[in-house]
Amino acid sequence: MNKILVGLNSAQQEAVTKLFGTMLVLAGAGSGKTRVLTQRIAYLVANGARPSEILAVTFTNKAAKEMKQRLINLLGEEIVKDIWVGTFHNICSRILRRDIEKYKTDDGRKWYCNFVIFDQDDSLSLVKQALKLENLDDKMYPPKAIQSTISMAKNQMKDAFKYATSARDYRSDKISKVFHTYEGLLSTNNALDFDDLLLIATKLLATSDDVLQRYHSRFKHILVDEFQDTNLSQYELISSLYAGGKTDTAFDNRSLCVVGDVDQSIYSWRGADYTILLNFQQDFRDATLIKLEQNYRSTENILEVANHIIVNNRERMDKNLYSTRGKGDKILCFEAQDEMEEAHYIANKIAAQTAGKYSFNDCVVLYRTNAQSRAIEEAFMARSIPYTMVGGVKFYSRKEIKDLVAYLKLIYNSDDSQSLKRIINVPRRSIGPTTIKKLEDIAINESVSLYSVIERIEEYSEFTARTVSPLKNFVKLINDAKANLERMPLSEFIAQLIDDIGYLDELKAEGTEEANSRIENIQEFISAAREFEDIDDWIEFKHYWMGIRCYLRDLYNKLNGIMFEPDIYRVRLINSMNQFDQHTKAIIANNNNDKKTLQKIEIARELIILLSKFFFNFFMLERSTEEKDKLINDLKHQLDTKLALLKL
């Protein structure tokens, strides 16, 4: 048993050895919370807890897999196989596979134990079907936006009926009808979506006391990781399993250990509610608060900066991270004049670092929005710095960028049938696969391009007037664009083209986070064209057709990238907080955001706290003046000794 406690500090030991009762473990970044959770499970087993009585909930499959492996190393596979370790969705799925037939909705819908789980694409297809059944225009009610609304409602414990009762306007009322039809279609298919796994499992426990008491009796020790990222469904599920409908006095021979940190909560946009953690001690008044404040990864300079920044957030639980790894390097803050200067500074800094003791694999660039990667990628290509995207797609490989490039290629060369097929129905023009197949058959038979066939579409009797009209409009669009190119600079031409084809309108109507990110990428694409215009020989082009030819050649190089060595020798470009590892030696954090709101400032502080979890040296680069000044002001007492601030 003593082996279990070896290497744990006093706070970690307290979290591991408290056998019964409710605990809130406030785990600072890099404080060894995963080790605490696994050692606690081992300690429970060593002190008589049956493996089958233990439930450990994580937020990702990767975290669950890592926890299982650590437990196997500690306890052996034979013991661990009886411990329930998994994500919320995994745990709920196991419960529902056995007991879903004991649940039915207020209007009588029910499912069977052989239910299927619909992924995002399956779910979206069903939303589209529901829209058709409700006779609603999918342009007025974009399917992805409706899907997102339904998902958010379910995360807040609202089914279609409950959502309908809170509908206060015409649009919400229509969405509630789609929601109800969508739920009916799921039931007809004996299917659940991902959000249903949580919602229905929680409702099952609330409506079937037999099921609740079975799992309440089984799981005497519950552990939850990343508690700051729970939503209402997840919290009610855990509360039901732990309390079992009983009062606080019934918790003597069981335990609930939740581990989290409000300072690391950055997922409110997908339904996470950090106030659940803040209010935990009000819901469970006997809960013991344990703070894990020793960081095992970062140096003092990084942690002191992180502490001084995060203390300015309004709603949080006080703690003070510290390290025993020494002062470490100072943090460097460089203020660039624009994104290109910033990108080249990053490239130069990495080139200098890798000329010394670091390799490319030791370097990471973290950026906040997808559109920001473009300038950095181009700077890397210009310096022949190998890189790989982690948790994202390279800028010039993103769908919307490839769509726009296809438009440019078709305008430049109308015989490019591959580009035409990519964008003939983008945005949607009611030109479907059947029509395209007919066009291809004619083109092959006559040995001409698809565009040539479409130009003469009225000559072919096999196409109806309903089909001919959008095809003629498409030809007019391309021909008008060719005329515009004769008289417009490249960036102005691309902006006009995007407006003419209605690409942004469709994304704005969709209204999702993904759509907003794609809009930012398109705006960045226009900026890239503007930068290309600034090259010295642009003004020497006799007309803009020569300019677009050179630009397309430049895009070809960027689309195809440059040949690199294996990934181990590449700089990593990251826009996901889940992609870090403890071996990374340096980070350049690119935090640019033009939305100057208090909420964004607080998220920026939380990102810095998360960064302190992984690195002993990183560089902050800021372009948003108001946001930068607020963060720098947080550190005004630290600048001389903790922060080297450089300005050009």
Side-chain angles (χ1 to χ4, degrees):
M1 188 180 301
N2 288 336
K3 288 183 179 180
I4 296 174
L5 305 179
V6 171
L8 299 179
N9 62 41
S10 58
Q12 290 174 328
Q13 287 190 28
E14 183 183 2
V16 167
T17 58
K18 183 176 171 57
L19 291 175
F20 304 111
T22 312
M23 280 182 290
L24 170 57
V25 179
L26 197 61
S31 60
K33 67 179 178 64
T34 304
R35 187 181 182 196
V36 166
L37 287 169
T38 53
Q39 301 299 106
R40 175 173 173 76
I41 292 172
Y43 191 84
L44 288 169
V45 172
N47 280 271
R50 296 175 182 173
S52 60
E53 295 175 340
I54 300 172
L55 169 65
V57 187
T58 67
F59 262 78
T60 66
N61 290 318
K62 180 181 177 182
K65 184 177 180 180
E66 179 185 350
M67 183 178 288
K68 280 183 182 178
Q69 189 55 55
R70 290 195 186 194
L71 288 171
I72 289 171
N73 295 339
L74 283 169
L75 301 172
E77 194 167 352
E78 192 63 27
I79 291 176
V80 175
K81 71 178 184 180
D82 291 328
I83 301 173
W84 277 33
V85 180
T87 63
F88 275 102
H89 292 91
N90 174 265
I91 299 301
C92 289
S93 178
R94 293 181 69 173
I95 292 173
L96 293 175
R97 285 294 176 200
R98 172 170 175 167
D99 294 302
I100 195 171
E101 292 179 15
K102 297 180 176 65
Y103 172 78
K104 66 178 179 179
T105 63
D106 293 336
D107 57 358
R109 287 180 292 108
K110 60 185 302 181
W111 291 262
Y112 300 96
C113 291
N114 64 337
F115 65 85
V116 294
I117 301 171
F118 276 7
D119 62 18
Q120 287 292 93
D121 291 338
D122 295 328
S123 168
L124 185 62
S125 177
L126 229 56
V127 169
K128 292 176 180 178
Q129 189 176 341
L131 284 166
K132 287 182 180 179
L133 291 172
E134 292 297 327
N135 295 314
L136 293 175
D137 185 352
D138 60 6
K139 292 182 179 178
M140 295 293 294
Y141 297 88
K144 283 191 176 181
I146 302 301
Q147 183 186 41
S148 179
T149 299
I150 291 173
S151 175
M152 190 64 74
K154 289 183 178 183
N155 285 332
Q156 296 169 351
M157 291 296 294
K158 295 179 181 178
D159 56 16
F161 175 77
K162 196 168 184 179
Y163 180 85
T165 60
S166 61
R168 294 290 181 267
D169 54 52
Y170 178 82
R171 182 177 178 81
S172 296
D173 181 63
K174 290 296 183 184
I175 292 175
S176 71
K177 289 180 169 59
V178 175
F179 194 167
H180 184 269
T181 302
Y182 170 76
E183 284 194 335
L185 291 170
L186 282 171
S187 178
T188 301
N189 283 273
N190 192 31
L192 303 176
D193 62 24
F194 283 124
D195 298 308
D196 281 329
L197 293 174
L198 291 166
L199 178 65
I200 293 180
T202 304
K203 285 180 172 289
L204 170 64
L205 296 178
T207 56
S208 174
D209 191 59
D210 288 344
V211 175
L212 173 60
Q213 294 309 320
R214 185 189 322 126
Y215 289 105
H216 171 68
S217 298
R218 172 172 182 157
F219 297 127
K220 291 185 169 58
H221 302 283
I222 301 174
L223 303 90
V224 185
D225 194 11
E226 305 291 2
F227 194 66
Q228 76 278 355
D229 292 327
T230 51
N231 59 38
L232 186 59
S233 292
Q234 293 161 342
Y235 180 55
E236 291 201 8
L237 177 81
I238 293 300
S239 297
S240 296
L241 290 173
Y242 180 54
K246 300 182 177 67
T247 62
D248 289 359
T249 56
F251 299 161
D252 294 340
N253 297 314
R254 57 196 312 113
S255 70
L256 171 62
C257 175
V258 300
V259 180
D261 180 11
V262 173
D263 294 343
Q264 298 181 59
S265 177
I266 59 172
Y267 293 114
S268 59
W269 55 273
R270 68 180 187 192
D273 184 358
Y274 66 88
T275 63
I276 290 173
L277 187 150
L278 289 175
N279 297 328
F280 185 78
Q281 289 175 286
Q282 296 179 24
D283 295 342
F284 296 94
R285 297 188 180 278
D286 66 333
T288 300
L289 175 63
I290 300 172
K291 297 182 181 181
L292 304 184
E293 297 176 301
Q294 182 175 350
N295 179 292
Y296 288 90
R297 289 177 175 169
S298 301
T299 56
E300 291 178 31
N301 277 339
I302 285 181
L303 294 180
E304 288 181 29
V305 167
N307 287 332
H308 276 269
I309 286 176
I310 200 65
V311 75
N312 294 282
N313 275 13
R314 296 164 297 172
E315 295 183 289
R316 61 184 300 270
M317 300 179 74
D318 184 58
K319 67 179 183 306
N320 191 59
L321 298 175
Y322 68 92
S323 172
T324 58
R325 297 189 59 184
K327 285 290 185 182
D329 295 335
K330 291 182 179 180
I331 294 174
L332 175 66
C333 181
F334 173 79
E335 182 181 3
Q337 298 302 312
D338 56 40
E339 62 185 5
M340 294 310 297
E341 182 185 29
E342 179 183 57
H344 285 291
Y345 176 83
I346 291 173
N348 291 337
K349 196 72 180 178
I350 288 176
Q353 292 278 355
T354 52
K357 61 180 179 179
Y358 296 121
S359 70
F360 288 123
N361 194 47
D362 292 324
C363 302
V364 170
V365 178
L366 171 68
Y367 54 92
R368 181 179 293 173
T369 63
N370 284 326
Q372 287 175 270
S373 76
R374 194 270 307 175
I376 301 169
E377 289 184 64
E378 291 187 4
F380 281 0
M381 284 188 276
R383 292 292 301 267
S384 296
I385 293 176
Y387 71 93
T388 185
M389 298 291 293
V390 181
V393 179
K394 291 184 177 182
F395 182 82
Y396 288 100
S397 297
R398 292 167 191 164
K399 179 185 181 302
E400 58 276 11
I401 303 304
K402 295 185 80 170
D403 287 345
L404 294 177
V405 171
Y407 268 105
L408 294 179
K409 290 168 70 177
L410 182 64
I411 292 164
Y412 180 71
N413 172 21
S414 298
D415 290 332
D416 183 352
S417 294
Q418 289 302 110
S419 293
L420 184 147
K421 283 193 293 182
R422 180 180 180 92
I423 48 85
I424 192 170
N425 200 40
V426 178
R428 287 171 291 180
R429 301 184 177 90
S430 301
I431 302 174
T434 302
T435 299
I436 295 172
K437 179 64 168 60
K438 287 182 181 179
L439 292 170
E440 281 189 294
D441 289 343
I442 295 171
I444 292 170
N445 186 54
E446 296 184 1
S447 298
V448 296
S449 68
L450 282 173
Y451 192 81
S452 177
V453 174
I454 298 172
E455 281 186 308
R456 298 177 287 111
I457 193 64
E458 291 179 309
E459 298 177 10
Y460 303 100
S461 59
E462 52 262 65
F463 296 99
T464 65
R466 184 177 179 181
T467 302
V468 168
S469 179
L471 290 172
K472 288 176 66 177
N473 290 338
F474 179 74
V475 169
K476 183 178 185 304
L477 173 72
I478 300 301
N479 289 338
D480 287 348
K482 290 179 180 180
N484 286 338
L485 186 58
E486 295 282 1
R487 59 185 180 82
M488 290 182 178
L490 183 63
S491 60
E492 186 179 336
F493 164 73
I494 292 175
Q496 183 64 52
L497 175 66
I498 292 168
D499 187 56
D500 289 343
I501 63 180
Y503 207 113
L504 289 181
D505 293 336
E506 186 172 75
L507 291 175
K508 288 175 181 176
E510 190 175 305
T512 63
E513 192 75 24
E514 179 188 353
N516 291 335
S517 177
R518 293 175 66 192
I519 289 171
E520 290 177 352
N521 289 336
I522 290 170
Q523 292 167 340
E524 187 65 21
F525 185 70
I526 297 172
S527 296
R530 192 173 296 116
E531 289 165 11
F532 185 79
E533 290 171 353
D534 291 338
I535 62 175
D536 293 339
D537 55 352
W538 175 264
I539 58 174
E540 297 177 6
F541 293 142
K542 293 181 180 178
H543 51 69
Y544 291 129
W545 282 100
M546 293 178 65
I548 197 172
R549 182 179 66 187
C550 291
Y551 186 57
L552 286 172
R553 184 176 61 197
D554 183 63
L555 288 174
Y556 174 83
N557 293 332
K558 290 168 181 173
L559 281 164
N560 288 278
I562 52 179
M563 297 303 294
F564 295 136
E565 296 298 317
D567 283 355
I568 192 170
Y569 301 114
R570 298 185 186 185
V571 177
R572 282 167 289 172
L573 285 165
I574 292 178
N575 69 341
S576 169
M577 295 306 299
N578 296 323
Q579 305 295 338
F580 297 131
D581 61 68
Q582 61 183 329
H583 304 296
T584 304
K585 303 301 182 186
I587 178 168
I588 301 172
N590 178 1
N591 294 323
N592 174 44
N593 196 308
D594 293 327
K595 297 178 180 177
K596 305 178 181 70
T597 65
L598 182 58
Q599 182 183 14
K600 294 296 180 182
I601 301 297
E602 295 199 349
I603 289 175
R605 294 180 183 129
E606 289 161 2
L607 283 170
I608 291 171
I609 288 294
L610 283 169
L611 294 178
S612 70
K613 182 176 181 178
F614 297 99
F615 305 105
F616 72 77
N617 187 14
F618 68 95
F619 304 86
M620 293 169 52
L621 292 103
E622 289 288 341
R623 295 202 311 274
S624 174
T625 303
E626 180 176 333
E627 186 171 312
K628 173 183 68 64
D629 288 346
K630 282 184 178 293
L631 291 174
I632 296 301
N633 186 61
D634 292 344
L635 300 169
K636 60 186 177 182
H637 300 300
Q638 302 291 311
L639 288 178
D640 291 337
T641 57
K642 306 298 186 299
L643 191 68
L645 177 61
L646 302 183
K647 294 186 179 181
L648 292 184

